[in-house]
Each structure stands twice: as structure tokens, then as C-alpha cells.
Amino acid sequence: MKKIMLITGASRGIGAATARLAAARGYAVCVNYLKNRAAADAVVADIEAAGGQALAIRADVAEEAEVVELFNCVDRQLGTLTALVNNAGILETQMRVDEMDAARLNRILVANVTSCFLCAREAVRRMSTKHGGSGGAIVNVSSAASRIGSAGEYVDYAASKGAVDTLTIGLSREVAEEGIRVNAVRPGFIYTDIHASGGEPERVDRVKAFVPMKRGGQPEEVANAILWLLSDEASYATGTFIDLAGGR
Ligand code: NAP
């Protein structure tokens, strides 16, 4: 069966590393992005230069109609999906809970939680044997923040990742008999652009002293775990988590 993977938010960071590794492992890859077309095109160009197959598709995964169209595009242009990585996610400027307004909370929850539900729904409709599919695997990109809570920085973001953890457990049980495995990774401090959107581009270097391994992680170290969870080597793993946080 042809291996076809959709990675949300694959133009940069963990998603881009996952796209490159997936293509090297023989997947045809859909590189979803929101705004940064040049970055998405660069990921596709790297994959094609290495002999792989990839396609960049812009879609805001926080918008239901755009999610539906994204999956329809994958159907038309790559074929039947076998793997989904729910990776796209955001955080906002560091602040305490007593400073947060409803608009911010809703932006975080829609971008980090609703998006994962919508993409999971579309994937299940295609993969589930109940819907005539041939099975598949989903990996949600959660965060160590779901365990730790991110006090003083972004408890809203941490709570959204707690919801992603619960989605992982609940959905895994819902579709376990339908040929679909659902797992998650929980990265710690990884060197990507996301920290700049929280207002502190050098955050990983500031906090790495609190990590038992005394260093931040690289996106490729997260990608390796995602690819393992999606592979047949993880055939008996569902509803589970790989913590990639240097022992934190
Ligand atoms: P990043 O470098 O900021 O990249 C974010 C990616 O998501 C970009 O490709 C961006 O597209 C895309 N994106 C954002 N909102 C989107 C939307 N509504 N629709 C579609 N695409 C969207 O982030 P990252 O650090 O790689 O994070 C990836 C995931 O890992 C997130 O879920 C994050 O919460 C999680 N995580 C990261 C860390 C860390 O330390 N970096 C730790 C734990 C968990 P554009 O390029 O078009 O803007």
C-alpha cells in the first residue's frame, strides 16, 4: 500500500523535520502550512531533490472548511491517507492567567485543540475500516507543558496540550478496532521558531539548565519518535505517549 502522510504545520520546526524524515522513509508527504509559503516550498524542494514526493498545501487547520478542503486535496493529489501528524500549534506572549482575556484563550484552544479534532475526524473518515478504509496511524504533537503546566508563561497553551493528551487516549480507544492507532509525542524545549512567538526567541538556551540532560532538543529528535509511532514497529502501541524532554 502506498504510504501517504499529512503533516499539519510542516513548513517549519518539528513539522518540517518530520516531513523530511517521512519522505526519506518512503512516504508521499503533504506539507501543510498557514502563511509561510516560501518555507513550505523549501521543504518540498528538499524532499524532491532527495528523490521523494511532496506537495505543499496552504490551509488554516483552525478553520473547519479549510480542513475539509485540505483533506480533499490530499485525496485528489496524493491518494488515500495512511498517516496524519497533528503538529500545527501556536503559543502567545508569555503572561500569567490573571492577565489573559477570552479572545486569547479561544485563539489558543481553537488553533491547538479544535484543529486536532477536525483533522482527526477527517483522517478517521478515510482510514477507519468502519468507513471502508484500510487503517492508518495518527500522531498528535502534544507537549511536556501538559504535564508541567507552564506557570508564569502560558498555562493556556499547557491546558490546550492537556486536551490533546485526552484526545489521544479517547480517540485511540474509539478506533482501536478499526485499524487505526493514535499516539502522541510530548516534546520539551526544542529549538524552533515557536519561542519567538512567545516573545522570547532564546528561551531554550535560558531554560536548558532546568533539563536533566542540560540541553534543548532538536526537531529531528522529535521527528524520529513520530516516525517510529507511525511505523509498523509500533504496531501494538496505541493511546500512548513518548516524552522527548531530556528527562524533564
Ligand atoms: P513553529 O516552528 O512555530 O512552526 C509552527 C508551524 O505550524 C508552522 O509550519 C506554521 O505555518 C504552522 N501553523 C501554525 N498555525 C497553523 C494553522 N492554524 N494552520 C496550519 N498551520 C499552522 O512550531 P514548532 O515548535 O515546530 O511546533 C510544532 C508543534 O510542536 C506545536 O504543536 C507545538 O505546540 C509543539 N511543541 C513544540 C515545542 C518546542 O519547544 N518547539 C515543545 C513542545 C511542543 P507557517 O510557517 O505558515 O506559519
Side-chain angles (χ1 to χ4, degrees), residues 15-65:
T18 304
R20 291 189 176 95
L21 186 62
R25 301 258 173 100
Y27 286 90
V29 180
C30 174
V31 175
N32 161 251
Y33 67 101
L34 179 60
K35 291 181 191 149
N36 197 332
R37 172 151 194 191
D41 285 346
V43 174
V44 170
D46 280 355
I47 289 171
E48 288 177 345
Q53 184 185 1
L55 172 72
I57 302 181
R58 198 214 74 82
D60 182 347
V61 291
E63 293 289 335
E64 185 166 17

Side-chain angles (χ1 to χ4, degrees), residues 16 53 60 64 66 83-84 103 106 108 127 140 150 154 204 220 244:
Q53 184 185 1
D60 182 347
E64 185 166 17
E66 296 191 27
L84 166 68
N106 290 332
I108 289 289
M127 295 172 179
N140 297 322
S150 304
Y154 5 70
V204 177
E220 291 74 17
L244 303 149

Side-chain angles (χ1 to χ4, degrees), residues 58-222:
R58 198 214 74 82
D60 182 347
V61 291
E63 293 289 335
E64 185 166 17
E66 296 191 27
V67 170
V68 170
E69 184 51 26
L70 169 64
F71 278 77
N72 287 340
C73 276
V74 172
D75 292 340
R76 286 194 301 268
Q77 298 191 48
L78 291 179
T80 305
L81 195 70
T82 60
L84 166 68
V85 183
N86 260 327
N87 167 76
I90 60 165
L91 49 75
E92 298 210 2
T93 313
Q94 295 171 7
M95 64 174 66
R96 287 166 47 101
V97 170
D98 54 14
E99 298 173 289
M100 291 176 186
D101 63 17
R104 169 186 165 124
L105 294 170
N106 290 332
R107 281 194 303 274
I108 289 289
L109 292 172
V110 171
N112 292 356
V113 183
T114 307
S115 63
C116 289
F117 272 82
L118 293 173
C119 290
R121 180 191 77 191
E122 293 302 311
V124 168
R125 287 178 179 176
R126 286 159 174 81
M127 295 172 179
S128 169
T129 52
K130 182 171 170 254
H131 294 292
S134 305
I138 298 173
V139 169
N140 297 322
V141 181
S142 175
S143 172
S146 75
R147 298 183 283 112
I148 291 162
S150 304
E153 291 191 319
Y154 5 70
V155 176
D156 54 345
Y157 169 85
S160 76
K161 295 301 187 177
V164 171
D165 288 359
T166 306
L167 165 65
T168 303
I169 295 166
L171 182 63
S172 72
R173 293 175 184 184
E174 203 164 278
V175 298
E177 285 187 282
E178 300 168 22
I180 306 174
R181 294 182 303 103
V182 185
N183 293 290
V185 292
R186 288 192 292 220
F189 303 127
I190 309 298
Y191 288 99
T192 73
D193 298 342
I194 202 168
H195 308 287
S197 41
E200 190 185 0
E202 309 304 325
R203 176 169 174 258
V204 177
D205 284 330
R206 173 176 63 83
V207 295
K208 67 184 179 190
F210 303 114
V211 177
M213 289 175 78
K214 302 294 180 217
R215 68 171 180 86
Q218 295 298 333
E220 291 74 17
E221 296 181 286
V222 182

